[in-house]
Amino acid sequence: QVQLVESGGGLVQPGGSLRLSCAASGSIFSIYDMGWYRQAPGKQRELVAGITNGGNTNYADSVKGRFTISRDNAKNTVYLQMNSLKPEETAVYYCNADLADVSGARRVSWGQGIQGTVSS
């Protein structure tokens, strides 16, 4: 079984920063791509940023220059540094991982989500 657990969410003022972490654990053989998504109230889940196991990154246009995704492969952990946050970025943030478990099965696993609120 594989688990992804997010941490680091909370309340921040507009213009502030949050750093999210997501640690994968369990019967993992290898992790390929990892990513962060968000879902605001009444909206569909959207990709925020992704990173390959080689470190190549991609970002939603709306966050380029403000957010940075990174990962520590030794710790099976992905991070999202979010700067200059805006109230409209209040959302539940989810991490995911494209991985192979020890049986060789390939799957995409998701975390449970963590709230990030941007408000004065």
Side-chain angles (χ1 to χ4, degrees):
Q1 191 170 355
V2 175
Q3 286 188 320
L4 274 66
V5 179
E6 299 103 337
S7 60
L11 173 65
V12 64
Q13 292 187 341
S17 298
L18 283 175
R19 179 176 169 85
L20 306 182
S21 299
C22 173
S25 63
S27 304
I28 298 169
F29 175 74
S30 184
I31 300 179
Y32 306 103
D33 297 347
M34 302 185 82
W36 287 97
Y37 289 71
R38 65 187 177 192
Q39 187 166 18
K43 294 188 176 182
Q44 290 190 331
R45 191 175 298 189
E46 63 175 358
L47 174 68
V48 177
I51 185 167
T52 68
N53 59 0
N56 293 318
T57 59
N58 65 284
Y59 296 92
D61 287 343
S62 61
V63 308
K64 286 179 181 177
R66 299 185 297 118
F67 289 15
T68 302
I69 188 171
S70 60
R71 65 191 282 175
D72 183 334
N73 290 332
K75 296 182 178 180
N76 288 339
T77 299
V78 62
Y79 307 95
L80 185 67
Q81 177 67 43
M82 305 186 291
N83 298 329
S84 302
L85 282 160
K86 306 172 183 179
E88 56 266 35
E89 294 179 309
T90 293
V92 178
Y93 285 77
Y94 298 88
C95 68
N96 79 350
D98 177 9
L99 56 86
D101 64 24
V102 294
S103 74
R106 186 82 173 255
R107 71 173 82 173
V108 176
S109 293
W110 289 85
Q112 80 286 354
I114 191 164
Q115 180 69 44
T117 301
V118 186
S119 175
S120 56

